[in-house]
Amino acid sequence: DYELDDISIADNFDGRLQRGNAPRPSPISTEYTLGNLGIERRFNWGTAISQTSLFNKRYDAFQDISQIALGGTVPLMAGASYNKSKGFSQELRAVSADDGSPWKWLGGVFYYRLNLFDCSEVAVADGLPGLPPSPILDGLIATPCAQNAGRIQGQLNIAHLVGDLLLTEQAVFGEVARALGEDWEVTLGARVYRTESSGTVSTAGLLYSFQNGGMPASRDASSSQEGISPKLSIIYQPVRDLRSYFTVSRGFRFGGP
């Protein structure tokens, strides 16, 4: 965890770690908690392994962006962002015993779940030059998230973006290795996976009024992806202190390339 009283952004390019174009500080607060439990049990045939992880992340920030007008001497505009995620992962794996056999293998299953909430907003001073009086903007000023309300209190919330998402992944994986003589080893493996993403994205405020027809908007969406990630590896180790290998595999990243 850490907290900064003011974001580390300078207003110059000559190496001075200072700025004078922000009339208000831009504090940031983050928190990260991780818990992991590993269990192993040995059998005659090999080892069974369980890995369980739980994590929580939080990011809370306020940034003064008044430097866009009047040289940043007056507090005219600011951004506020609150992000929180909570995740869980579980892997069960079985690995063959190291019993001198030319064959080695492993296999297992994997599950991952992430809940993500994000609220980002842009607020301007009531009476900002060029902006209509607040009564005329009635209906175009968004209500801030509870987590950001204290940071932009007394200002006009002209852009409000909220995402509430759920991400999951399920996978089955395995590989088999065969020693060829004393110097060579060949490994074949694959990972079969399925990922799903679903959630709701909501927008409101003056800056989104053109695409929303002047009204707040909310959209539900979901997507899924399935695939196989194969792997081929060849290892050559002619002496104890020299080992070379060649590996071809299809990479995987949640959400696509």
Side-chain angles (χ1 to χ4, degrees), residues 103-170:
W103 291 95
K104 293 186 293 185
W105 56 267
L106 67 84
V109 295
F110 177 79
Y111 177 77
Y112 173 82
R113 179 186 178 94
L114 176 68
N115 294 94
L116 174 64
F117 173 82
D118 182 86
C119 178
S120 297
E121 301 176 283
V122 176
V124 299
D126 193 355
L128 178 71
L131 196 68
S134 53
I136 298 179
L137 295 174
D138 187 31
L140 298 178
I141 301 303
T143 301
C145 297
Q147 299 84 354
N148 292 334
R151 295 191 180 277
I152 59 176
Q153 185 176 8
Q155 303 176 73
L156 304 180
N157 188 6
I158 61 172
H160 172 85
L161 174 64
V162 176
D164 194 356
L165 309 175
L166 172 63
L167 314 175
T168 62
E169 177 195 348
Q170 303 95 38

Side-chain angles (χ1 to χ4, degrees), residues 103-104 176-180 184-188 232-235:
W103 291 95
K104 293 186 293 185
V176 177
R178 166 72 182 184
L180 304 176
W184 295 86
E185 182 179 279
V186 177
T187 301
L188 291 174
L232 168 64
S233 177
I234 301 174
I235 298 175

Side-chain angles (χ1 to χ4, degrees), residues 3 12 17 30 38 46 58-59 95 105 114 139 143-144 146 162 189 194 235 238:
E3 294 192 16
N12 62 86
L17 301 180
T30 66
R58 179 186 59 80
Y59 175 82
V95 183
W105 56 267
L114 176 68
T143 301
V162 176
R194 175 180 175 82
I235 298 175

Side-chain angles (χ1 to χ4, degrees), residues 7 9-11 19-24 26 63-79:
I7 193 170
I9 297 179
D11 64 353
R19 77 176 188 270
N21 60 356
R24 295 170 290 185
S26 299
Q63 183 173 357
D64 185 276
I65 51 178
S66 302
Q67 64 268 26
I68 65 172
L70 303 179
T73 58
V74 180
L76 298 178
M77 183 174 291

Side-chain angles (χ1 to χ4, degrees), residues 29-244:
S29 173
T30 66
E31 177 181 313
Y32 180 67
T33 304
L34 172 65
N36 186 70
L37 175 64
I39 301 175
E40 292 190 14
R41 177 69 184 274
R42 297 185 182 276
F43 301 92
N44 292 333
W45 51 263
T47 304
I49 303 171
S50 171
Q51 290 285 345
T52 306
S53 295
L54 294 170
F55 63 87
N56 290 280
K57 299 179 182 180
R58 179 186 59 80
Y59 175 82
D60 192 1
F62 171 88
Q63 183 173 357
D64 185 276
I65 51 178
S66 302
Q67 64 268 26
I68 65 172
L70 303 179
T73 58
V74 180
L76 298 178
M77 183 174 291
S81 179
Y82 178 85
N83 178 289
K84 186 174 183 179
S85 60
K86 181 178 181 180
F88 164 80
S89 69
Q90 175 66 56
E91 180 177 292
L92 299 174
R93 177 188 298 250
V95 183
S96 61
D98 188 7
D99 55 5
S101 170
W103 291 95
K104 293 186 293 185
W105 56 267
L106 67 84
V109 295
F110 177 79
Y111 177 77
Y112 173 82
R113 179 186 178 94
L114 176 68
N115 294 94
L116 174 64
F117 173 82
D118 182 86
C119 178
S120 297
E121 301 176 283
V122 176
V124 299
D126 193 355
L128 178 71
L131 196 68
S134 53
I136 298 179
L137 295 174
D138 187 31
L140 298 178
I141 301 303
T143 301
C145 297
Q147 299 84 354
N148 292 334
R151 295 191 180 277
I152 59 176
Q153 185 176 8
Q155 303 176 73
L156 304 180
N157 188 6
I158 61 172
H160 172 85
L161 174 64
V162 176
D164 194 356
L165 309 175
L166 172 63
L167 314 175
T168 62
E169 177 195 348
Q170 303 95 38
V172 178
F173 59 89
E175 64 179 47
V176 177
R178 166 72 182 184
L180 304 176
E182 297 183 355
D183 301 337
W184 295 86
E185 182 179 279
V186 177
T187 301
L188 291 174
R191 176 187 178 96
V192 181
Y193 63 87
R194 175 180 175 82
T195 64
E196 295 181 80
S197 305
S198 61
T200 302
V201 175
S202 303
T203 57
L206 178 64
L207 296 186
Y208 289 105
S209 63
F210 297 104
Q211 69 181 49
N212 298 342
M215 300 294 292
S218 180
R219 179 186 178 190
D220 296 322
S222 63
S223 64
S224 62
Q225 181 182 13
E226 300 175 348
I228 300 177
S229 297
K231 172 186 174 182
L232 168 64
S233 177
I234 301 174
I235 298 175
Y236 175 59
Q237 188 170 6
V239 295
R240 181 178 179 179
D241 297 330
L242 176 61
R243 179 185 178 94
S244 60

